[in-house]
Amino acid sequence: MLGRGEVRNAFYFWGQEITDGELEDYFVRYDVDKNGFLEFPEFVEMLAEKEEGTEYERDYVAKMKPYDTSGTGYISREKLYKGLRDIDKDGFDFTQEEMEHKFGSFFKGVNKNENGEVNYMNVIKLLRFKRVLE
């Protein structure tokens, strides 16, 4: 059985950073018996689904890089919204207001810099996890 700290450490060991929100979402989604731990079959299912989405995530991240004019990995919510709309006009069919309403609480679990800009790599991972981006 793996607790939250052990799952976070496993991702760190594999060179992947996950946000608190993403970690919590994994437990909500994969901790079937809701005991606060992932048993080995639950953990394996989580990893298999995560790996499946990795290629899509890389593609979205590459397409978002032009919006990251500072090269820091962080962009404003406005640039994020514009980038997602430009990249996937059919799949990401939200106005900026709808996005803020629907995903406002979701942004709390995403890494931000001192200017309040969001880490777009984390956003893409979470949107894929929530099945907003396919």
Side-chain angles (χ1 to χ4, degrees), residues 8-96:
R8 183 182 296 281
N9 287 342
F11 278 96
Y12 180 77
F13 176 78
W14 294 316
Q16 297 183 19
E17 178 186 338
I18 61 172
T19 67
D20 292 341
E22 189 175 20
L23 181 64
E24 190 57 35
D25 283 344
Y26 283 135
F27 275 82
V28 167
R29 188 167 180 188
Y30 294 102
D31 182 14
V32 177
D33 56 8
K34 306 300 181 208
N35 66 355
F37 294 91
L38 294 182
E39 282 76 21
F40 187 69
E42 295 168 335
F43 184 67
V44 169
E45 181 182 350
M46 179 195 72
L47 290 178
E49 283 192 25
K50 180 163 180 18
E51 187 56 36
E52 210 173 89
T54 303
E55 186 176 325
Y56 291 108
E57 290 168 13
R58 279 190 223 121
D59 186 43
Y60 274 99
V61 167
K63 290 176 180 177
M64 288 297 293
K65 284 191 185 226
Y67 298 92
D68 179 14
T69 54
S70 62
T72 62
Y74 291 86
I75 59 176
S76 68
R77 285 185 181 188
E78 292 78 21
K79 282 185 180 179
L80 174 70
Y81 169 74
K82 181 173 178 4
L84 290 171
R85 286 286 296 150
D86 289 350
I87 291 167
D88 191 1
K89 289 177 177 67
D90 297 324
F92 197 79
D93 190 22
F94 302 103
T95 66
Q96 188 164 353

Side-chain angles (χ1 to χ4, degrees), residues 120-134:
Y120 62 90
M121 291 174 243
N122 290 153
V123 171
I124 289 167
K125 279 194 228 176
L126 286 172
L127 289 174
R128 285 273 307 133
F129 185 78
K130 299 268 187 191
R131 300 181 190 268
V132 174
L133 296 175
E134 296 295 334

